[in-house]
Amino acid sequence: MRIATFNINGVKARLPALLDWLARAEADVVCLQEIKSQDHTFPREPFEDAGWNLETHGQKGFNGVAILSRRPIEDVTRGLPGDDADEQARYIEATISGDAGGAIRVCGLYLPNGNPTPGPKYDYKLAWMERLRARAAELIAGEETALLAGDFNVIPQPEDAARPEAWTEDALALPETRAAWRRIVNQGWTDAIRAFHPGPEVYTFWDYQAGAWQKNDGIRIDHLLLSPQAADRLAGAGVDVAARGGEKPSDHTPAWVDLDL
DNA sequence: ATGGTAGAAGGTCTA
């Protein structure tokens, strides 16, 4: 079973590029971030016509996450637990079965950017990461076959940026951000991309500005974290860099894992 | 310090 994550930066603007990528990617499940649509304005038909089941958690203007799946999407929950007043659409969970009889709890997330720092947006990011840590701990304690997939807006280490010195004061790389990331990973999650690609220059985001893509001035901020039970099934992982070079691309490119489930 | 680009909107806000 191949599961991918893709921050598409607007589903309506990305419709041709996304459908083209879906037709080529051989993914069974895709977690989407930044759909920038409400649930009732999401263009469902082209995806359903292409054979995808679809669950969305959207809002007006920005944010918004969704799960596409070839197989049925079950037990869907929307929103990250821990703050009933949080109205930002950044989290969706569902259970999906594989062909081999297994199943996985897929958690699609769009972690807050947090800039500028310091300030309320960075406070919100750190609070959101603490809520994610708590939910992740439940999944670990329950010995679930689980995957946290999405745009984490975290550059885990200096080697995850082409120019690490440019990010030292940024919400994506501040020591508090990295500490919060480690508190989650160190529960027992496997960073699947790093497990298969330990070297430098593995990036998932290149800014639209200043020729970042042409200069390969990228950062690795889209991640797939596997619980121990999921990591036992891990057969491969990668980043589909080519998608960033296509027509009218997102500023992110997809990352994926192959699991024997 | 500024501006560079992009998307959802049809205001600016977000990134």
Side-chain angles (χ1 to χ4, degrees):
Chain A
M1 172 189 272
R2 176 166 294 179
I3 307 178
T5 178
F6 195 176
N7 180 322
I8 53 172
N9 189 19
V11 67
K12 301 182 190 78
R14 214 62 60 215
L15 210 44
L18 178 56
L19 291 167
D20 179 64
W21 177 78
L22 288 170
R24 294 183 292 102
E26 299 182 337
D28 301 291
V29 180
V30 183
C31 298
L32 300 176
Q33 301 89 41
E34 285 205 88
I35 63 173
K36 296 187 175 182
S37 292
Q38 299 171 83
D39 294 334
H40 68 277
T41 60
F42 191 101
R44 302 182 66 93
E45 290 77 9
F47 298 96
E48 290 170 346
D49 290 350
W52 294 97
N53 296 295
L54 170 61
E55 293 288 342
T56 64
H57 179 42
Q59 70 179 92
K60 189 180 178 66
F62 55 103
N63 298 333
V65 291
I67 297 177
L68 303 175
S69 175
R70 292 292 187 191
R71 294 173 63 93
I73 305 173
E74 301 173 299
D75 298 325
V76 180
T77 60
R78 293 171 173 77
L80 180 63
D83 182 1
D84 293 339
D86 184 1
E87 296 187 347
Q88 297 196 32
R90 296 179 173 275
Y91 190 85
I92 187 169
E93 273 189 25
T95 299
I96 297 166
S97 299
D99 294 324
I104 186 165
R105 190 67 176 165
V106 176
C107 310
L109 64 97
Y110 176 45
L111 205 147
N113 176 295
N115 284 302
T117 65
K121 291 189 176 178
Y122 192 54
D123 296 341
Y124 175 66
K125 176 177 194 155
L126 293 178
W128 205 95
M129 293 183 81
E130 170 55 24
R131 288 162 59 199
L132 180 62
R133 186 205 59 74
R135 176 62 187 135
E138 291 179 350
L139 294 164
I140 293 286
E143 301 186 359
E144 300 255 11
T145 302
L147 166 68
L148 309 179
D151 177 359
F152 281 70
N153 271 312
V154 174
I155 304 170
Q157 300 190 96
E159 53 265 40
D160 295 310
R163 293 185 304 122
E165 71 280 3
W167 299 92
T168 53
E169 305 296 318
D170 194 280
L172 278 60
L174 281 171
E176 276 187 277
T177 305
R178 288 179 168 162
W181 160 266
R182 287 195 300 271
R183 274 196 291 275
I184 297 170
V185 174
N186 290 342
Q187 293 173 348
W189 298 88
T190 295
D191 180 341
I193 298 298
R194 272 295 176 233
F196 281 84
H197 303 279
E201 299 188 15
V202 181
Y203 309 132
T204 64
F205 171 91
W206 298 258
D207 201 289
Y208 288 122
Q209 304 177 73
W213 166 247
Q214 288 75 12
K215 293 187 280 193
N216 197 24
D217 180 11
I219 52 177
R220 190 175 74 96
I221 58 175
D222 299 271
H223 306 298
L224 299 129
L225 298 184
L226 302 172
S227 72
Q229 293 73 20
D232 285 346
R233 304 291 178 170
L234 180 58
V239 177
D240 185 359
V241 177
R244 181 62 178 82
E247 187 89 3
K248 208 173 189 300
S250 171
D251 42 5
H252 294 250
T253 209
W256 52 269
V257 292
D258 281 333
L259 302 170
D260 295 323
L261 283 171

